[in-house]
Amino acid sequence: MLALVASEFDYIAFCAGLGLILLAAMTAALGDEDRRALPWAWFAGWALLQGVVEWLELLEINLGDNGQWGLIAAIGSAISYLLLVEFGRQGLESLGYRAPGRWIFVPILLILLTSALGGVTALQFAALCLGLAGTLFSARVFWGYAQTEVVRLRPLVVLAIGMAVYGVIEFVDPTWDVLSAAMLFESNLLQPVTILVQIGQTVTTLVMVLALWRFAVRSRRREMRRASSLVTLEILLLLALLGSLLLGWVVTDWATGNATQQQASELIRHVQLAAAGITEEQLAPLTGTAQDAGTPTYEAIKAQLVRLRDVNPEVRFVYLVGQSNGQLIFLVDAEPPDSPDYSPPGEVYGEATAQLKSSFTQPESFVEGPLADHWGNWVTAFTPITDDQGNVLAVLGIDIDATTWLALVAQKRLMPILITLLISMLLVLFYIAQRWMQTARDSKLRLASEQTLLLDTIETQVWYLKDAETYGPVNQAHASFMGKPKQLLEQQRIADVLPADVATRWIDTNRTVFAAGRPEHDEFESLDGAGLPRSLSITRTPKMGEDGKVEFVVCTAVTSPVRKLTEQRLAEILDLNQTMVESSLLGMIAYRSDTGKCVMANTAAARAVGATVEQLVQQNFRELRSWRESGFGRPCGGSAWRPMKNDGSLRP
């Protein structure tokens, strides 16, 4: 099991980085209220940058450590944890807790710069210490926010615990330097704790992603005050990512097997070509004992093996193995006698595998490894050398350093991993874009809901026109006036709702507004939904678009009960009477009884006295001597008015 996990170590590191990127993306799913409550941008920046650092380590795994990847990863990790510390600092301030000021970054930066002078390992260690502080800092923020009366959600508690666990796991990683390619695929070289740390980080990150996702769903549900749909955008994203990861894993394993098979075939071809140069006659004099050393036959074969090793730089050991008394022994070794790795003729090969032993009875070429022995870790190709009857005389072996072998395999694995990474990033970017658009739509829906609530609480009637003949949204006041539910008015044709004569008048006015692009005011009488007569005063205001055309028309209406209608009718009757008086052949004059001021005179009266209507209206009949002497004013003046004598005194 450990060997299987170790062979997928690079893919696990890729999943860990993707989980952190996804954690940053999930912050886009939060509701506006929760997004404003905490400085999520700093948290998203940490997750995004830390995910990139994980992927940089992936490149170091598959391309080998040239000294630059580790430095870049250490710098990126330090910057990401600085962002996390700022998230924790601002988060505590937002929750009302005491938090250090920005001065805290001065000693932190001094420590990081000093550590950088000590090399990559020292910088990595300083970054890990900063990371432990930052993750615990952030865990405290999430825990505190989860305890507020507004939130009280379990996912935030899980997120807080996950941050603390992630920081501790990251800090206890026993390897600060990224492991070399050879240590990534050979389980007995890869420290088990390192494997468990990487798995723990990946699992913890995925748990945090799920926790933040659940919190985001509840955040939006609480803000929109409605239940979320069963299939959310986040579920679709997770399913798509899971599918791409599984497909990527299958393709990566296929690429691994294909690369291994190609390299094995190439290695077998080399060993078979080398074995073809060793004849039965050359092997016959060998006894498999120390006495073979120095003999012409031994030295000739040894020279062939040395040349084979020298022309293939990746080959480390070349040797012949024979069988004696049921044991495998070295016949010829290409190493010089003074080398600590030299195996003299006759030395028992005690670490020979079962497959190598069986090759003397079942002669066939094969590759085994990576395997470890006291010489190191190797991938070995063997091919038997037989006589004319098919009997195995010796087996030629070629050892290649497992690091070189596995580095080549790792490079072949990198391409499908990068393709999976690209697909995953496209999915995440698509999700972020969709989530931003969904957030904008939710904001518009929330605003529309608030506006609808506001409009439904006012007495003024409000409705929208999509075009001259079709209703848009209406408020409750207009629906009540019409005596219909809102849903039976909205998106309906005006001709299907109003009486024919009223609908025709409305539509004609609407067309004028849509065509001219200017407001119109209209008043008319109508019966409301209860059958009562009402006076309706309508103002139609067009909303112009950027192209200068009318997008829609907002209509507002104020209704007046019978009183205003009666006043209007009285005004109409008064106009009628005024017309009748003016056209009468009888002279008519009206004046106020209390002041004597003329208020009305028709043309016939003006003609009778030889004046104009305007001159009569300007007169005060109490001031006219002839009028007072005639006594005509008595009926109008009452007891307060007495006629005047010729001398100007009042009559009794």
Side-chain angles (χ1 to χ4, degrees):
M1 181 63 182
L2 191 62
L4 176 62
V5 175
S7 66
E8 302 293 339
F9 195 84
D10 54 349
Y11 206 79
I12 295 174
F14 160 68
C15 292
L18 180 61
L20 289 166
I21 299 293
L22 194 57
L23 191 64
M26 284 298 165
T27 60
L30 295 171
D32 291 338
E33 182 178 344
D34 289 306
R35 192 181 295 113
R36 291 190 296 266
L38 293 177
W40 289 101
W42 296 103
F43 180 79
W46 163 77
L48 180 64
L49 191 53
Q50 190 64 19
V52 173
V53 168
E54 290 286 345
W55 286 344
L56 287 176
E57 294 180 352
L58 169 66
L59 294 178
E60 187 172 5
I61 289 171
N62 291 82
L63 298 180
D65 184 8
N66 58 3
Q68 296 180 354
W69 296 118
L71 178 60
I72 296 174
I75 295 174
S77 183
I79 295 175
S80 72
Y81 286 126
L82 286 173
L83 300 179
L84 194 60
V85 169
E86 179 63 10
F87 167 75
R89 194 190 67 80
Q90 290 191 18
L92 290 178
E93 288 182 349
S94 300
L95 297 177
Y97 297 111
R98 294 184 59 184
R102 286 196 171 91
W103 59 264
I104 192 67
F105 290 103
V106 175
I108 291 177
L109 290 174
L110 288 176
I111 293 174
L112 290 175
L113 291 175
T114 304
S115 301
L117 298 177
V120 175
T121 302
L123 180 59
Q124 286 178 331
F125 180 68
L128 290 176
C129 293
L130 179 61
L132 180 61
T135 51
L136 295 179
F137 217 7
S138 302
R140 178 66 183 91
V141 172
F142 290 133
W143 184 273
Y145 190 48
Q147 306 309 312
T148 59
E149 294 183 359
V150 179
V151 182
R152 291 193 179 278
L153 293 178
R154 188 174 299 174
L156 270 186
V157 176
V158 176
L159 184 59
I161 297 174
M163 286 299 297
V165 171
Y166 183 91
V168 172
I169 291 177
E170 179 82 0
F171 185 75
V172 300
D173 190 343
T175 55
W176 298 327
D177 286 320
V178 182
L179 301 176
S180 63
M183 298 179 66
L184 295 173
F185 294 91
E186 182 57 30
S187 61
N188 59 358
L189 293 178
L190 185 62
Q191 299 182 40
V193 177
T194 303
I195 299 176
L196 295 177
V197 164
Q198 188 64 68
I199 295 175
Q201 286 180 335
T202 305
V203 173
T204 303
T205 302
L206 295 179
V207 170
M208 289 193 294
V209 169
L210 294 176
L212 186 56
W213 163 52
R214 290 303 304 162
F215 172 66
V217 170
R218 297 187 183 185
S219 171
R220 295 197 309 274
R221 183 186 304 169
R222 186 176 70 251
E223 188 170 290
M224 297 299 295
R225 293 179 175 84
R226 60 180 172 84
S228 300
S229 59
L230 181 62
V231 180
T232 64
L233 190 60
E234 287 76 20
I235 291 179
L236 295 177
L237 171 67
L238 293 176
L239 290 176
L241 285 176
L242 180 61
S244 65
L245 289 177
L246 290 176
L247 180 61
W249 176 65
V250 171
V251 174
T252 301
D253 270 12
W254 173 83
T256 303
N258 187 55
T260 301
Q261 184 177 3
Q262 288 181 354
Q263 290 185 189
S265 299
E266 184 69 15
L267 194 56
I268 287 176
R269 187 176 67 84
H270 280 299
V271 73
Q272 287 177 340
L273 287 176
I278 302 176
T279 63
E280 177 182 353
E281 290 74 16
Q282 289 179 289
L283 295 175
L286 298 179
T287 62
T289 62
Q291 284 74 26
D292 290 337
T295 62
T297 301
Y298 177 88
E299 293 299 331
I301 297 176
K302 185 180 182 73
Q304 287 182 258
L305 301 184
V306 170
R307 286 194 298 271
L308 174 62
R309 183 192 62 190
D310 292 342
V311 297
N312 294 281
E314 70 275 8
V315 174
R316 177 63 184 86
F317 295 120
V318 181
Y319 49 88
L320 281 174
V321 178
Q323 192 174 32
S324 176
N325 300 322
Q327 293 182 319
L328 297 189
I329 60 173
F330 287 98
L331 296 178
V332 182
D333 186 5
E335 286 294 292
D338 57 350
S339 171
D341 297 322
Y342 173 68
S343 297
E347 179 180 326
V348 176
Y349 187 11
E351 296 173 292
T353 63
Q355 187 174 9
L356 177 57
K357 294 177 181 179
S358 65
S359 64
F360 282 87
T361 57
Q362 300 175 354
E364 61 180 7
S365 301
F366 65 94
V367 174
E368 61 181 9
L371 294 175
D373 54 26
H374 74 276
W375 288 281
N377 300 275
W378 315 102
V379 174
T380 306
F382 292 104
T383 188
I385 301 174
T386 60
D387 57 16
D388 295 337
Q389 288 74 36
N391 298 316
V392 177
L393 302 177
V395 174
L396 177 62
I398 296 178
D399 288 348
I400 293 180
D401 191 344
T403 302
T404 303
W405 174 275
L406 295 174
L408 294 173
V409 175
Q411 292 175 12
K412 297 294 184 179
R413 289 173 59 88
L414 183 60
M415 183 55 66
I417 291 177
L418 291 179
I419 294 175
T420 306
L421 185 151
L422 177 61
I423 294 174
S424 302
M425 285 303 301
L426 290 176
L427 289 173
V428 171
L429 292 175
F430 175 77
Y431 162 76
I432 293 176
Q434 291 296 314
R435 177 48 60 202
W436 282 346
M437 290 189 291
Q438 182 64 46
T439 300
R441 287 194 294 267
D442 289 345
S443 298
K444 290 182 179 179
L445 288 175
R446 185 172 63 254
L447 180 60
S449 177
E450 294 171 353
Q451 291 176 341
T452 300
L453 179 63
L454 177 63
L455 292 175
D456 284 344
T457 57
I458 62 176
E459 296 181 358
T460 302
Q461 300 180 40
V462 181
W463 67 95
Y464 293 79
L465 296 176
K466 298 172 58 177
D467 52 59
E469 301 183 9
T470 309
Y471 263 118
V474 304
N475 74 338
Q476 188 59 46
H478 185 63
S480 299
F481 177 83
M482 301 297 294
K484 299 176 181 293
K486 293 172 61 175
Q487 58 269 25
L488 294 183
L489 292 177
E490 294 176 336
Q491 318 306 327
Q492 301 298 316
R493 290 174 53 84
I494 295 176
D496 297 336
V497 176
L498 299 177
D501 55 339
V502 177
T504 300
R505 179 176 173 181
W506 277 32
I507 292 173
D508 290 342
T509 307
N510 294 342
R511 286 172 177 166
T512 301
V513 176
F514 273 96
R518 62 174 181 269
E520 290 285 341
H521 184 75
D522 188 20
E523 294 189 8
F524 73 101
E525 302 171 16
S526 177
L527 298 178
D528 63 11
L532 299 176
R534 296 276 180 169
S535 174
L536 196 62
S537 177
I538 304 176
T539 300
R540 297 172 173 85
T541 305
K543 172 64 174 62
M544 308 303 294
E546 296 180 356
D547 56 357
K549 297 181 179 179
V550 178
E551 292 183 356
F552 57 88
V553 173
V554 180
C555 301
T556 59
V558 178
T559 60
S560 299
V562 177
R563 177 181 175 183
K564 184 172 182 179
L565 184 61
T566 302
E567 291 176 352
Q568 183 177 355
R569 289 180 176 176
L570 288 176
E572 293 175 354
I573 293 173
L574 183 61
D575 290 341
L576 177 62
N577 291 339
Q578 184 71 27
T579 302
M580 294 175 62
V581 169
E582 179 65 27
S583 61
S584 174
L585 298 177
L586 297 176
M588 297 183 184
I589 299 176
Y591 61 92
R592 293 180 62 90
S593 62
D594 54 347
T595 64
K597 180 174 176 57
C598 180
V599 295
M600 188 273 294
N602 67 350
T603 302
R607 188 181 300 114
V609 298
T612 64
V613 173
E614 289 76 12
Q615 291 174 335
L616 288 177
V617 172
Q618 294 176 359
Q619 300 300 317
N620 188 313
F621 289 94
R622 284 189 179 184
E623 298 175 357
L624 295 177
R625 179 182 297 272
S626 60
W627 191 263
R628 297 180 67 88
E629 290 177 351
S630 68
F632 290 157
R634 183 180 297 277
C636 300
S639 60
W641 185 341
R642 288 179 292 170
M644 184 181 296
K645 296 180 182 180
N646 292 333
D647 58 3
S649 62
L650 295 177
R651 294 179 180 179

